[in-house]
Amino acid sequence: MLPPVMIATGNDKRGEPETIAKGLERAMRCVCAVVGAGSQAGTGTLIGPDLVLTNYHVIERLIGNDPDFEGAECRFDHRLGEDGHLLNVVDAQTVFNIRAVLVASEPSPGDVRDGGDAFDDDKLDFAIIQLDTPAGRLPDYKGITRGWIPLPRSGERPDPDLGQEFMLLQYPYEIGGAFVLQPLKNDTAEFTDARGDPTRGAAGQRARYIHNGRTARGSSGGPCFATTFQFAFIALHNASLGETDDGQSRGQAISLRRISGYIERRYEQPAQILSLVPPHDPKKDVLARQRAESIERRKEAALCLMDRSREERRFLARLFAGSVPPAARPLLHVVVCRTDDAHSHFIKRLKFLSFEAPPDGISQLRLMALIKGLSAPSRTTHPGVWPQQDEVAQRRQELSDIVQVLDPRGRYLLLLSRTIDAAWSLATEEPLLAAFAAMLADHFRDNRDGIQAVVSFIVAGGQDSDAVLRQFAGLWSVSAPPHCGVCVRLSQVGIDELEEWRSVLETAWKADKAFNAAIARQFNGTQLKPLEIVAQGLDASLCNYIAGTLDQSGQLEEPRS
């Protein structure tokens, strides 16, 4: 039986994939983390150029006679990319300060755990905050106008139906009791029950709707999008009610129709908040979309293939050497770098270079990868985190678990990483690395050329970081354990070390004096700089360089050497 809402609107299609995909893409641009506004973080949704809808209890510190807006902000695009790492937002503005609270409706007693079933029409636990910048009119990290999701008038949106499916987007936080903002999460759930006497509510509405979505601290204010109703923003999550006896999650949400009704009754100029029309999305222009995607793809290819040092090139030559017999080929290598040495570019470089290449073919392969715009690697990549528990036996078991999930007949590039500090102990990690290499060798004993693993240790900043980096210089100084290869330290770069990389770009595209000058501006004589800093400084110039090439050639397909 279809929900009444779907019958009434004629929407009898169950979650059209195109509608959900487009709605989710827009929602991910417009949902943000609300932080620094109280004792806990929360989630918000951009409903106007500079307006964000969230829960009252999330921003309670900003309400009162002496509100403190210091450090209160909304953070967008804090989410994972396809490579499993946080998005590189480049120069896009993704963090906006909160300037004011326009509308605030405190919670009802029933919104508080063990607060009973008492709800008031004028106590809806929501707030609309104003940013200091019109985020909705600015581009996101892809250059797409961020836009917003309008808050509809009360007559334009029905209440949720029991059994209706929806998707809840949220920014949870907290790991092991510590405040750590997590990347954007989502969960698909359905409305299972309702609370409040409908005879006492406005227009016979139920006060709150119960759902079975999984939430965590920080999910408050998360938008609920009805997947069976054109991915419409239909409710606002505001509380967790614990679990049922059989372990099912129980959460609570407020109908968006109810919130809109409050604004229409209580706010002097509701038209300044409700049904605000988003700007036209320039990405709907097919040619503009293709051009932007081509620039972004080529930029990613260029950055991940950026030169670094002779040491790195020797490491790649050994890693990808095809002349070494499989039984003698090292299966595990180690990389160490600082937080600003852009190891993500190095990881991408590993992913998109072929393992079967002879050492003298690397330059050509780099060019091929660039021309193809980072085509899929020949091996399945498995990124992950090097176990960080203090108990050595448990960590060894976790490494064993990682190995056991791999098909011994398959072909893998296993990429693990860990951030370390001055308390890090080489004496603890070295035997674990040796044990891990032995596990790989045993698991792939009949397929030694099917596995290569690289562990990246990223050294956090601080006055003791140099000492930690020096420890790696002596790693396996006498001889590496069986099945272990070299340890390479990603170093800072100078302008001379970018010459080959620049030459590759010019071979694939064309020489450009302005781009050469942009590279030179990043350096002061022989000064060395972290690769991450160089990449950030070059980003705009690199995009302009690629765009200029496209404009002159008139071709969007991949370039040919």
Side-chain angles (χ1 to χ4, degrees):
M1 179 66 180
L2 294 175
V5 128
M6 297 175 68
I7 296 174
T9 59
N11 177 24
D12 57 353
K13 298 179 181 180
R14 304 291 294 185
E16 306 91 324
E18 294 83 2
T19 301
I20 293 176
K22 291 179 181 178
L24 181 58
E25 182 181 5
R26 180 178 66 158
M28 289 192 296
R29 290 199 301 267
C30 296
V31 176
C32 62
V34 183
V35 296
S39 59
Q40 58 181 324
T43 304
T45 305
L46 199 61
I47 61 169
D50 57 354
L51 304 179
V52 172
L53 173 66
T54 186
N55 287 144
Y56 179 103
H57 70 265
V58 170
I59 53 97
E60 190 168 2
R61 179 169 71 87
L62 308 182
I63 301 171
N65 295 328
D66 188 23
D68 181 7
F69 289 92
E70 181 68 29
E73 60 189 27
C74 289
R75 181 180 298 271
F76 294 84
D77 296 337
H78 187 72
R79 47 194 176 96
L80 300 179
E82 293 181 359
D83 60 358
H85 294 82
L86 285 174
L87 293 176
N88 179 9
V89 299
V90 198
D91 296 325
Q93 184 176 357
T94 59
V95 180
F96 300 88
N97 297 324
I98 298 173
R99 184 177 70 180
V101 179
L102 296 189
V103 185
S105 175
E106 64 186 54
S108 288
D111 291 315
V112 181
R113 184 167 294 189
D114 302 324
D117 205 35
F119 296 97
D120 189 315
D121 284 345
D122 289 335
K123 295 183 178 181
L124 300 178
D125 191 19
F126 84 92
I128 295 177
I129 52 184
Q130 187 173 34
L131 306 178
D132 64 349
T133 305
R137 300 194 187 281
L138 300 180
D140 70 351
Y141 78 102
K142 283 186 175 181
I144 304 172
T145 302
R146 189 175 299 282
W148 57 84
I149 301 173
L151 181 62
R153 296 181 181 276
S154 60
E156 297 173 349
R157 189 65 43 89
D159 286 325
D161 274 309
L162 301 188
Q164 187 174 38
E165 295 179 355
F166 69 91
M167 186 178 290
L168 171 60
L169 269 62
Q170 53 194 296
Y171 275 104
Y173 72 93
E174 191 176 49
I175 296 181
F179 181 97
V180 180
L181 180 63
Q182 300 299 293
L184 183 66
K185 309 290 183 185
N186 77 283
D187 189 41
T188 301
E190 66 178 37
F191 296 107
T192 59
D193 200 355
R195 301 180 68 192
D197 184 352
T199 63
R200 299 178 57 186
Q205 295 172 274
R206 301 302 294 265
R208 303 292 185 270
Y209 290 85
I210 308 304
H211 63 77
N212 57 7
R214 291 171 296 177
T215 59
R217 297 183 67 181
S219 301
S220 294
C224 302
F225 296 97
T227 56
T228 53
F229 186 50
Q230 303 297 322
F231 210 77
F233 187 8
I234 201 165
L236 188 71
H237 169 77
N238 82 313
S240 171
L241 303 180
E243 295 183 346
T244 61
D245 293 338
D246 58 355
Q248 296 294 315
S249 299
R250 292 182 74 241
Q252 179 176 277
I254 309 162
S255 166
L256 223 61
R257 179 184 172 200
R258 199 177 184 93
I259 292 174
S260 298
Y262 176 97
I263 295 172
E264 290 168 347
R265 296 193 315 271
R266 302 290 301 273
Y267 195 66
E268 291 183 358
Q269 295 178 302
Q272 294 182 352
I273 296 176
L274 301 178
S275 298
L276 301 177
V277 179
H280 170 69
D281 184 0
K283 297 292 276 189
K284 291 180 180 178
D285 183 321
V286 175
L287 291 178
R289 182 179 69 248
Q290 291 177 344
R291 182 175 185 274
E293 289 175 350
S294 181
I295 292 172
E296 183 65 22
R297 182 169 60 252
R298 298 176 196 213
K299 186 198 77 174
E300 285 299 313
L303 289 178
C304 89
L305 296 175
M306 201 178 246
D307 289 323
R308 193 185 305 264
S309 66
R310 292 187 182 88
E311 182 182 18
E312 178 190 317
R313 292 176 206 162
R314 286 196 297 267
F315 170 64
L316 292 174
R318 182 171 181 180
L319 184 65
F320 299 126
S323 59
V324 179
R329 183 178 300 171
L331 306 184
L332 175 67
H333 302 271
V334 179
V335 172
V336 63
C337 62
R338 299 179 186 273
T339 54
D340 56 5
D341 278 333
H343 73 286
S344 60
H345 296 323
F346 179 70
I347 292 299
K348 289 178 182 177
R349 192 170 179 180
L350 292 180
K351 284 183 182 181
F352 293 100
L353 289 174
S354 168
F355 272 74
E356 287 70 38
D360 58 359
I362 284 184
S363 293
Q364 180 62 25
L365 280 171
R366 291 174 60 242
L367 181 57
M368 289 174 58
L370 176 64
I371 290 174
K372 293 179 180 178
L374 297 183
S375 58
S378 59
R379 297 191 177 202
T380 302
T381 56
H382 277 260
V385 177
W386 183 259
Q388 301 192 42
Q389 287 72 20
D390 292 333
E391 210 282 309
V392 175
Q394 181 179 351
R395 296 177 62 190
R396 189 185 298 261
Q397 182 60 50
E398 289 198 14
L399 290 171
S400 176
D401 292 342
I402 291 174
V403 175
Q404 295 306 315
V405 301
L406 303 179
D407 181 355
R409 300 165 298 179
R411 300 173 65 75
Y412 299 99
L413 170 58
L414 189 62
L415 303 169
L416 304 177
S417 64
R418 178 183 179 184
T419 301
I420 57 179
D421 55 27
W424 173 83
S425 170
L426 180 62
T428 301
E429 302 301 321
E430 187 173 356
L432 278 174
L433 289 165
F436 188 49
M439 294 177 197
L440 294 172
D442 181 65
H443 192 68
F444 288 87
R445 54 181 173 272
D446 298 323
N447 180 27
R448 290 287 176 83
D449 63 343
I451 181 70
Q452 287 281 293
V454 178
V455 178
S456 297
F457 289 95
I458 301 100
V459 181
Q463 60 182 7
D464 298 322
S465 60
D466 286 338
V468 177
L469 288 166
R470 282 195 296 271
Q471 291 187 55
F472 272 95
L475 180 64
W476 307 330
S477 57
V478 177
S479 63
H483 316 297
C484 290
V486 297
C487 170
V488 62
R489 174 176 172 179
L490 302 186
S491 58
Q492 297 181 332
V493 298
I495 188 171
D496 293 339
E497 292 174 317
L498 297 183
E499 283 302 307
E500 182 186 345
W501 172 73
R502 182 190 58 78
S503 176
V504 169
L505 296 191
E506 293 181 348
T507 302
W509 297 319
K510 62 183 293 295
D512 187 281
K513 293 182 179 179
F515 181 53
N516 293 340
I519 296 176
R521 284 197 299 271
Q522 304 304 314
F523 299 92
N524 179 16
T526 59
Q527 176 191 21
L528 297 176
K529 296 181 69 174
L531 186 62
E532 180 68 18
I533 305 302
V534 176
Q536 289 176 357
L538 281 175
D539 189 81
S541 298
L542 183 55
C543 287
N544 291 336
Y545 168 58
I546 297 170
T549 302
L550 292 177
D551 291 340
Q552 292 183 32
S553 67
Q555 300 294 321
L556 289 177
E557 66 266 15
E558 296 308 314
R560 294 291 180 263
S561 60

